[in-house]
Amino acid sequence: MRAIDLYSGIGGWSLGLRLAGVEVVASYEWWQPAIDTHNGNHGGTLAPVDIRKLALADLPLDIDLVVGSPPCTEFSYANRGGSGDIVEGLKDLVKFLEVVDHLKPRWWALENVPRVADVLERGLRDPKHVLYRFRHLAPHIEVVDFSEFGAPQARRRCIAGNIPLDLIRAFQPKLGKPTLGGVVSALASKGVVTDPVWGVAISANQLTEMEAEAPLNGEELRMNREAKAYHPVYNNMAFPDPMDEPARTVTATCTRVSRESIVIADPRVAGSFRRLTIRERGCLQGFPITYQFYGRSFAEKAKMIGNAIPPTFTHLLALAAQGVPPNAFKGLDHAGRRLGLPANPAPVTLPDREGRTYPEKRSFRAAVPGLRFKSGMRFELSNAFEDQLPGWRMRFFFGSSKDVREVVFDGAIWDEFKDTPVGATLGTLSGAFRAAAAELGRTDAERLQRVWTHRAEGLAPFEVVDLLGDLAEKVHARLLADCGALIEADAERYVVVVAEEAAGGGKLPNKGKLERYALRILSGFLVADWFNGLSWHDEARAAA
């Protein structure tokens, strides 16, 4: 069987096809580091090609299979929250389908992010859409999880084409369920390292890309935990990542403090945590331990791996296209016997280092523990600059992602409650508020910013966040003890009134949640109003 590979990247399609005995007669790619990796592993001489300008007449003939992964950037929700340029992204989908329509292969398959499934389905049935002219191709469109096809990674992607996925699923009983922990432990072996997916074995001193970056420092660890386990808007993730199941999606871009980073407990150092090595990322993406990544930096290698398609899936697709019966499939480890190391190892690239210093106006924004209610409703501590001086404020947000509302705290709330049972309760907590103020007295607004940018030592912003959360918890507990059910109804009414004023009329978003958490929200109101009114904020400005 003869195939061509469009938008071939580092060779995820080509590797899987070739291990299945398919002849890949041509591959096309534009990004030089990916081309270097493709050539280095497949012995080719590919050169950069602008696939959009590829002349159909220049394509090879007698092609049985067309595969490819057009760029997903404009369709990905990770790109500006899904606000990519869809029209731009469609140009590559159109080009891929033009090639299929021109060559008329027996089989074809396109891979992309899940959102493309909807783009294709809508376009092929809308007479005004640019994709409508390809409706006669009648592709089967489905979103699959590559962890069900041999990859040690839960990666959901759209597969469109005319190869019945049922044929591919028929191989699943012989695939097993590789896990993140299985990959990490296999690659840490001494002496001989055996690929947990493909079964190929090499000596440990031949295993490349195992340079581990420094463990996350305390600040990075906190930021990672907050972004994953306590994100105020998105679903919670486990932290650290569980080792007894497939990894989360390996992404093309991530930093030491990003929500997307896979973070594991470092088995070498008790109590420490780290991100993955390049080899661990590649193995999770389904590339064998013999595969080399010819990038010029850690970030470049991570990008090329995160953009790739797992060759575990492409191998099974190639078997299905050739009509291999399920009972003839002997497993990925049988195919892996054909693997070997390429002549030249990839260059060693050191991993990212922890940040030493940051811009003087480095931004800070963190939800306060105990005062985060999901769906975007939360109390935050954040910084802002006025006349070049930092200001720190506690704020309350509610509403939808497209209609965010904010309550401003300026001291008025304490005045409203001073002659009420709530005011009396606050009086019994005066010692707690004085202790919190004394703790804040260890620093000032300007020094707190300098600590955040690693230009000074002392009380850090996350410590202030925890201080505010602890204080709000004390207020909430005392209100419950002193006032009980008598105040809960009043709290519901008060919180709703304040939110309605912030919303400026109209339908109040998240009213049910505001009422459900009213007493805890009121506790946050009181702490935020107290904190924002402290003279602590003005001392650095007065000195300036």
Side-chain angles (χ1 to χ4, degrees):
M1 180 171 282
R2 288 163 51 85
I4 65 168
D5 181 3
L6 296 169
Y7 305 95
S8 59
I10 62 175
W13 278 109
S14 290
L15 178 63
L17 269 58
R18 285 176 168 146
L19 287 176
V22 174
E23 180 188 2
V24 182
V25 299
S27 295
Y28 304 93
E29 173 59 38
W30 67 271
W31 189 38
Q32 189 63 57
I35 293 170
D36 293 341
T37 296
H38 196 291
N39 288 338
N41 286 279
H42 295 279
T45 56
L46 303 184
V49 173
D50 185 344
I51 301 173
R52 292 183 181 180
K53 298 178 181 179
L54 188 63
L56 298 177
D58 293 337
L59 293 168
L61 302 177
D62 299 322
I63 296 300
D64 306 291
L65 173 62
V66 173
V67 297
S69 301
C72 66
T73 304
E74 304 301 344
F75 301 110
S76 174
Y77 283 109
N79 178 28
R80 304 192 296 278
S83 299
D85 189 340
I86 300 296
V87 173
E88 187 67 18
L90 280 169
K91 294 177 182 178
D92 293 298
L93 296 185
V94 167
K95 187 64 180 185
F96 183 94
L97 295 175
E98 280 182 346
V99 172
V100 171
D101 202 26
H102 173 74
L103 292 178
K104 295 179 172 53
R106 181 182 179 190
W107 303 111
W108 64 276
L110 174 151
E111 178 257 358
N112 217 289
V113 293
R115 188 183 186 185
V116 169
D118 183 62
V119 172
L120 288 169
E121 288 170 352
R122 289 173 180 268
L124 294 173
R125 64 171 181 260
D126 181 358
K128 297 181 180 179
H129 200 281
V130 68
L131 296 178
Y132 185 70
R133 64 187 173 101
F134 302 108
R135 65 192 182 281
H136 61 280
L137 296 176
H140 175 81
I141 303 168
E142 188 173 340
V143 175
V144 303
D145 184 341
F146 288 146
S147 68
E148 298 176 2
F149 299 92
Q153 172 196 183
R155 186 181 188 88
R156 297 178 70 251
R157 286 296 185 268
C158 165
I159 300 296
N162 66 346
I163 301 177
L165 285 172
D166 287 346
L167 296 180
I168 305 174
R169 289 192 174 95
F171 300 120
Q172 288 177 330
K174 296 183 181 180
L175 291 176
K177 286 287 185 181
T179 63
L180 170 59
V183 167
V184 172
S185 61
L187 297 181
S189 298
K190 306 298 182 183
V192 175
V193 178
T194 301
D195 192 297
V197 175
W198 294 99
V200 60
I202 59 176
S203 63
N205 60 12
Q206 292 178 301
L207 186 66
T208 59
E209 310 291 7
M210 284 299 290
E211 294 79 18
E213 65 183 13
L216 299 175
N217 61 36
E219 179 183 287
E220 293 168 333
L221 187 60
R222 175 65 181 266
M223 293 175 73
N224 270 285
R225 194 184 301 274
E226 293 285 323
K228 294 176 174 65
Y230 303 111
H231 198 281
V233 178
Y234 302 118
N235 293 333
N236 291 346
M237 297 177 178
F239 186 87
D241 284 83
M243 305 293 275
D244 58 351
E245 56 189 54
R248 291 186 294 106
T249 300
V250 174
T251 58
T253 56
C254 63
T255 66
R256 286 175 61 90
V257 294
S258 70
R259 178 174 163 85
E260 293 77 19
S261 297
I262 297 173
V263 175
I264 62 172
D266 193 339
R268 302 168 305 171
V269 185
S272 68
F273 301 83
R274 66 170 175 84
R275 294 194 304 160
L276 301 178
T277 65
I278 290 297
R279 179 56 61 193
E280 288 165 340
R281 294 167 192 246
C283 198
L284 291 173
Q285 192 69 297
F287 285 89
I289 57 176
T290 53
Y291 214 78
Q292 301 297 296
F293 305 104
Y294 297 89
R296 295 162 295 187
S297 67
F298 182 96
E300 198 167 76
K301 291 178 179 180
K303 179 180 178 180
M304 63 172 64
I305 292 170
N307 280 333
I309 183 172
T312 43
F313 178 81
T314 66
H315 180 68
L316 300 176
L317 181 143
L319 294 177
Q322 295 175 98
V324 174
N327 59 5
F329 174 53
K330 298 180 181 180
L332 296 173
D333 54 347
H334 180 79
R337 295 177 183 177
R338 300 173 54 187
L339 293 166
L341 287 163
N344 299 314
V348 174
T349 49
L350 297 179
D352 296 345
R353 295 182 298 176
E354 59 180 288
R356 300 299 182 184
T357 59
Y358 294 88
E360 291 185 359
K361 293 187 178 181
R362 182 189 185 191
S363 63
F364 179 87
R365 188 173 185 178
V368 178
L371 297 175
R372 40 198 175 199
F373 310 101
K374 302 301 291 182
S375 302
M377 184 183 294
R378 77 276 188 191
F379 285 84
E380 279 187 356
L381 176 67
S382 61
N383 61 356
F385 284 80
E386 181 181 345
D387 298 330
Q388 303 302 311
L389 292 174
W392 297 83
R393 292 293 183 271
M394 192 171 168
R395 304 189 292 174
F396 177 63
F397 296 98
F398 67 100
S400 66
S401 59
K402 296 182 179 180
D403 185 22
V404 180
R405 307 301 176 91
E406 178 186 351
V407 175
V408 176
F409 302 101
D410 55 8
I413 291 178
W414 271 61
D415 288 341
E416 292 179 15
F417 282 102
K418 63 182 179 181
D419 296 323
T420 70
V422 172
T425 293
L426 292 173
T428 66
L429 287 168
S430 58
F433 281 96
R434 283 197 300 271
E439 183 70 8
L440 289 170
R442 292 169 46 200
T443 186
D444 57 43
E446 188 173 14
R447 183 172 182 81
L448 191 63
Q449 181 68 27
R450 288 178 57 77
V451 171
W452 179 232
T453 60
H454 296 193
R455 288 172 169 80
E457 295 183 355
L459 190 69
F462 276 113
E463 293 179 276
V464 176
V465 167
D466 290 340
L467 179 152
L468 297 171
D470 290 343
L471 190 57
E473 187 61 39
K474 291 174 182 176
V475 172
H476 180 254
R478 188 61 62 84
L479 286 175
L480 276 176
D482 291 359
C483 306
L486 293 176
I487 194 177
E488 292 202 45
D490 288 337
E492 285 184 17
R493 286 191 290 269
Y494 182 79
V495 166
V496 167
V497 167
V498 171
E500 286 176 338
E501 292 177 354
K507 184 178 180 180
L508 182 62
N510 286 342
K511 182 178 180 181
K513 182 172 283 191
L514 288 165
E515 293 174 337
R516 186 160 64 253
Y517 295 105
L519 192 57
R520 193 168 289 278
I521 292 171
L522 177 59
S523 303
F525 280 3
L526 293 165
V527 170
D529 209 47
W530 166 82
F531 175 75
N532 289 0
L534 288 174
S535 59
W536 176 88
H537 299 282
D538 302 320
E539 290 170 358
R541 194 171 300 277

